[in-house]
Amino acid sequence: MPELIKPKTETMKLLFSVIIASFYGLTIRLLYGIFNAVMGIMGISFLFLLPCLIGYLTVILLPYKEEHTATGAFFKPWLTCGAILLITLFFNIEGMICWAMAFPLFAILAGLGGVGAFKRKRRRFRDKMEWDFEKADWEKPGSLKISFLFMLPLLAGLAEGDRTSSFQELRVEKQVEIGASPGVVWNALLENDQSGVKKQGASFSSIFGFPHHLNTKVNKQVVGGSRVATYEKGLAFMETIEKMEPGRLLVLSIKTDPSKISKAIMDEHIVIGGKHVKLLQDEYQLEELPNGRTRLRLSSYFSINTPFNWYAGLWSKGLMSDILQEELSSIRQISEK
């Protein structure tokens, strides 16, 4: 390595390794974006293999010292993950919702990659084979053997494509008691203006920028009629009445056009109606209670399509549950006016 760019202090060496590993991670991300037709970001190669290699690279570039620990090696790659997060958010490469879901898993896997690099360096150190910035190993062919390893996310991504993804249908249900008759609640379901509704506090969905519901309009109150739910930032859901029993039951199928959803709302990986997330159906059930009250139950059916539905399902259920709760709260306020 040229003398002029050899970092001398511990802090500078860490900064250098974070910069190099961040550059590597961002380069792979941009290449996935360019070749997104054949390589999916929502895949095992990108979300599982890449962070491991980012963590590995962060630690492998650091000189080994006997006082270093595996714990330190686990957390140092988090600096790289944080740098990548901030850069991709600043340049609008990724959205906050996407990072909120991915970062915990991304950071943990990067930490495991760092631990793997630490163990390898410790073994080399004990065998008197440790390299450092001060040594000439960087210019030896043997030092480039790991280059192929860092190309694996691209090669694996090309081989993986969408082959590891699978559809899973999910259901979330929430309910609320309303101090109004079923007839009043029914009318609020079909048409409402939520401009005067007090939204709940810092909810999970609002923190990550999911828009609030503005109004609902229906063209015909018959099976086959349409209802349009309009949200902030230009988001709208086109819904078709599949089944209705006035004052008792309303079933709606949902259609969204992902091309009309702004990236300011959600990025391409989790856009509603895209290849990874689809809303299928909403079902409202009204139950008459004593003293003129009504129990309103809302069930939402949607599907996800990823290689890791067990993880994506946890986040999507949490987000959907929060959205449904806010919707029920709005209907209650409108009905109780």
Side-chain angles (χ1 to χ4, degrees):
M1 178 178 293
E3 183 69 25
L4 291 177
I5 61 173
K6 284 183 181 178
K8 299 295 183 181
T9 68
E10 191 84 9
T11 301
M12 287 300 295
K13 287 180 179 180
L14 176 60
L15 178 61
F16 181 84
S17 70
V18 168
I19 290 173
I20 295 298
S22 297
F23 179 79
Y24 164 72
L26 291 169
T27 300
I28 298 296
R29 169 60 184 90
L30 292 175
L31 289 173
Y32 263 76
I34 293 171
F35 301 104
N36 62 348
V38 291
M39 294 190 296
I41 288 176
M42 295 287 283
I44 294 174
S45 303
F46 186 87
L47 289 177
F48 284 76
L49 180 58
L50 178 60
C52 289
L53 293 175
I54 288 173
Y56 186 93
L57 183 59
T58 301
V59 175
I60 206 69
L61 291 175
L62 295 171
Y64 176 82
K65 292 186 178 180
E66 290 189 82
E67 62 268 23
H68 288 174
T69 65
T71 301
F74 180 81
F75 287 108
K76 284 174 183 175
W78 289 31
L79 297 173
T80 307
C81 295
I84 294 173
L85 182 152
L86 293 175
I87 293 170
T88 53
L89 286 178
F90 182 81
F91 289 102
N92 201 28
I93 299 173
E94 300 290 354
M96 179 59 76
I97 296 180
C98 192
W99 260 122
M101 295 180 181
F103 190 81
L105 183 64
F106 204 88
I108 290 172
L109 291 172
L112 293 176
V115 172
F118 169 78
K119 291 184 176 180
R120 181 171 187 264
K121 289 176 72 68
R122 183 173 59 183
R123 185 171 60 252
R124 287 176 60 91
F125 179 83
R126 290 173 178 175
D127 293 338
K128 306 301 181 183
M129 295 173 60
E130 169 66 358
W131 69 68
D132 194 357
F133 290 103
E134 307 297 329
K135 298 185 179 180
D137 290 353
W138 296 89
E139 300 176 4
K140 295 180 180 179
S143 300
L144 300 178
K145 289 181 179 179
I146 60 173
S147 297
F148 175 77
L149 181 66
F150 293 104
M151 292 294 292
L152 275 181
L154 295 177
L155 300 175
L158 288 171
E160 179 183 2
D162 292 327
R163 295 178 180 85
T164 57
S165 297
S166 62
F167 278 96
Q168 181 180 355
E169 187 172 314
L170 302 173
R171 174 178 176 268
V172 174
E173 180 182 299
K174 304 295 289 186
Q175 64 179 27
V176 66
E177 286 192 16
I178 301 174
S181 67
V184 172
V185 177
W186 177 262
N187 291 332
L189 288 178
L190 293 177
E191 290 205 29
N192 62 68
D193 181 356
Q194 301 195 13
S195 57
V197 171
K198 182 180 179 181
K199 301 301 181 181
Q200 58 190 23
S203 63
F204 176 73
S205 57
S206 63
I207 289 175
F208 295 113
F210 193 87
H212 293 297
H213 194 171
L214 296 177
N215 59 66
T216 300
K217 295 181 180 180
V218 64
N219 68 345
K220 292 182 181 180
Q221 297 186 25
V222 296
V223 173
S226 63
R227 191 183 83 155
V228 180
T230 304
Y231 288 71
E232 295 172 332
K233 302 178 182 178
L235 177 63
F237 296 119
M238 309 299 296
E239 304 165 333
T240 301
I241 300 175
E242 298 288 336
K243 186 176 181 180
M244 64 180 298
E245 299 175 21
R248 294 184 57 192
L249 176 68
L250 178 64
V251 179
L252 302 160
S253 61
I254 305 172
K255 182 179 180 181
T256 56
D257 185 352
S259 66
K260 294 182 179 180
I261 299 179
S262 169
K263 289 186 177 180
I265 303 174
M266 54 189 69
D267 58 45
E268 59 183 319
H269 321 310
I270 59 172
V271 64
I272 296 174
K275 65 179 181 179
H276 298 298
V277 183
K278 294 183 185 297
L279 297 183
L280 304 175
Q281 188 180 81
D282 278 348
E283 180 179 301
Y284 297 87
Q285 296 179 354
L286 293 78
E287 178 185 350
E288 186 172 6
L289 300 175
N291 301 320
R293 298 179 66 82
T294 302
R295 177 179 290 115
L296 176 61
R297 182 179 294 109
L298 172 55
S299 301
S300 184
Y301 299 84
F302 59 99
S303 68
I304 56 176
N305 178 34
T306 74
F308 37 87
N309 289 339
W310 57 272
Y311 184 77
L314 293 175
W315 282 97
S316 56
K317 280 186 173 182
L319 180 60
M320 183 61 71
S321 178
D322 194 70
I323 294 172
L324 297 191
Q325 191 63 58
E326 181 171 296
E327 177 67 13
L328 291 176
S329 175
S330 298
I331 296 298
R332 181 179 61 188
Q333 292 182 54
I334 293 171
S335 301
E336 292 178 348
K337 285 183 178 179

